[in-house]
Amino acid sequence: MRDTRESRLLLVLLIAIAFALITVDIRGGQDSPVEGARQAAATVFGPIENGVSSAVDPVGNAIDAVRDSGSRHDRIAQLERANAALKAKLGSDDRNRSRVKQLDKMIRVAGEGQYGIKGAQVIAIGAAQGFSWTVTIDLGASDGIKRDMTVLNGDGLVGRVTTVGPSTSTVLLANDPDFSVGTRMENSDELGFASGQGDRALRVQLLNAKADVKKGNRLVTFGSEADKPFVPGVPVGVVSRVDPSGGDLTRTIYVKPFVSFSKLDVVGVVVQAPKRDPRDTVLPPKPQPTPTPTVTVTVTPSTAAYEEDGEPSDY
């Protein structure tokens, strides 16, 4: 396009429209008027994201290479492909071991909480729906995923499903500023509402302004009506700071989430809620305090304090 007055005006107009759509989207929240566009985007770009994820998977590429090598007539090319497949497979061993550990932890959480889950893989981050803390997973409507389902992993609460396409879904992470979840404190049952603060600790407003809260106390999800968007008992985090009560109707505490939102890979979507509230049973065991080492002092009498005949001296 030539740099003319008309082209510059067109560029300014397009930028203004883009910022207007972003503002409307952010203010609209769940009722955003661009929700239809999100659904369309998920339908169009979801399969592409899935395809890209599969294309860069070294294990998948290795399997394909070995499987297809039998149809090649050139022996040299066949050996080269098999060699490349082996290198790719060996290079992905650490990643596979990490995923197995993640799956084991997630299965333990699902078992203890009696959650019916479907495992998914994070295939994209920060989707093009705005500036939210979101990830895209490789499960969609065809897999039985619906909006407002709880998402967790082996550490605890990841977020909730907000947009569902045919083969992919968008998950709003628990650290997003627009995220809110009811919480219950371990043992004391104090209730509150947690909201995300990006890369900072979750902010929790306790309903009881005089609640006895200490650093190290742990929280789980309280649950929602009909278990949507949140099932009860999912670990949320550990209290890292308590604001002094200033006579307000609520009390503010800050919670370090169990989940590391910058290291998400394998997650689970809760497709079936537990029949009973698991309460605190899903929380991980508390770390045992490190015992204080005991110092033993042995006193050995000095040989200079004895006479030559072995009797103690007078001084």
Side-chain angles (χ1 to χ4, degrees), residues 21-309:
L21 288 174
I22 292 171
T23 303
V24 170
D25 185 23
I26 293 174
R27 291 182 178 178
Q30 297 302 318
D31 300 321
S32 171
V34 299
E35 180 65 23
R38 289 181 180 174
Q39 294 284 355
T43 301
V44 173
F45 294 109
I48 298 175
E49 290 174 332
N50 259 330
V52 172
S53 175
S54 301
V56 299
D57 187 342
V59 178
N61 290 343
I63 294 173
D64 289 342
V66 174
R67 183 189 63 198
D68 295 340
S69 63
S71 62
R72 307 299 181 187
H73 300 290
D74 190 333
R75 180 62 178 169
I76 296 177
Q78 187 180 48
L79 291 174
E80 288 178 347
R81 286 171 59 83
N83 188 39
L86 179 60
K87 287 182 178 180
K89 191 174 188 302
L90 291 175
S92 66
D93 279 351
D94 289 340
R95 183 183 181 190
N96 288 340
R97 281 194 291 267
S98 174
R99 285 183 172 178
V100 169
K101 290 181 180 179
Q102 293 178 57
L103 285 170
D104 285 344
K105 290 177 66 177
M106 191 166 68
I107 290 172
R108 178 192 65 80
V109 167
E112 293 179 353
Q114 294 298 294
Y115 307 123
I117 65 170
K118 284 195 174 184
Q121 181 183 346
V122 173
I123 58 175
I125 59 173
Q129 288 96 335
F131 297 105
S132 301
W133 290 75
T134 62
V135 295
T136 302
I137 58 175
D138 61 351
L139 294 182
S142 59
D143 305 290
I145 306 303
K146 298 179 182 178
R147 183 171 174 170
D148 285 338
M149 284 183 168
T150 306
V151 182
L152 51 77
N153 67 3
D155 296 318
L157 180 66
V158 171
R160 60 181 175 85
V161 176
T162 55
T163 305
V164 180
S167 59
T168 62
S169 300
T170 300
V171 177
L172 183 70
L173 302 181
N175 64 337
D176 186 90
D178 288 335
F179 189 94
S180 180
V181 58
T183 61
R184 182 179 58 76
M185 193 162 295
E186 179 185 16
N187 298 327
S188 71
D189 290 339
E190 293 288 353
L191 302 181
F193 291 93
S195 55
Q197 296 194 115
D199 55 2
R200 295 180 293 167
L202 304 177
R203 186 173 185 266
V204 180
Q205 294 291 119
L206 295 178
L207 301 183
N208 182 7
K210 298 181 180 179
D212 183 17
V213 188
K214 298 180 178 63
K215 184 178 179 179
N217 290 158
R218 303 186 296 179
L219 290 83
V220 298
T221 56
F222 179 66
S224 308
E225 184 178 358
D227 299 309
K228 286 188 176 183
F230 302 108
V231 294
V234 181
V236 175
V238 181
V239 176
S240 58
R241 181 163 65 91
V242 180
D243 275 0
S245 180
D248 297 331
L249 297 178
T250 60
R251 189 170 192 184
T252 302
I253 62 176
Y254 297 90
V255 174
K256 180 182 179 181
F258 286 119
V259 171
S260 177
F261 298 105
S262 62
K263 298 180 180 180
L264 293 174
D265 185 9
V266 178
V267 298
V269 182
V270 180
V271 295
Q272 184 176 1
K275 294 181 179 179
R276 296 182 181 179
D277 187 342
R279 307 290 292 180
D280 304 329
T281 59
V282 186
L283 284 167
K286 288 186 177 180
Q288 296 297 321
T290 304
T292 304
T294 303
V295 179
T296 303
V297 179
T298 303
V299 179
T300 304
S302 173
T303 55
Y306 287 82
E307 300 288 354
E308 292 182 357
D309 58 0

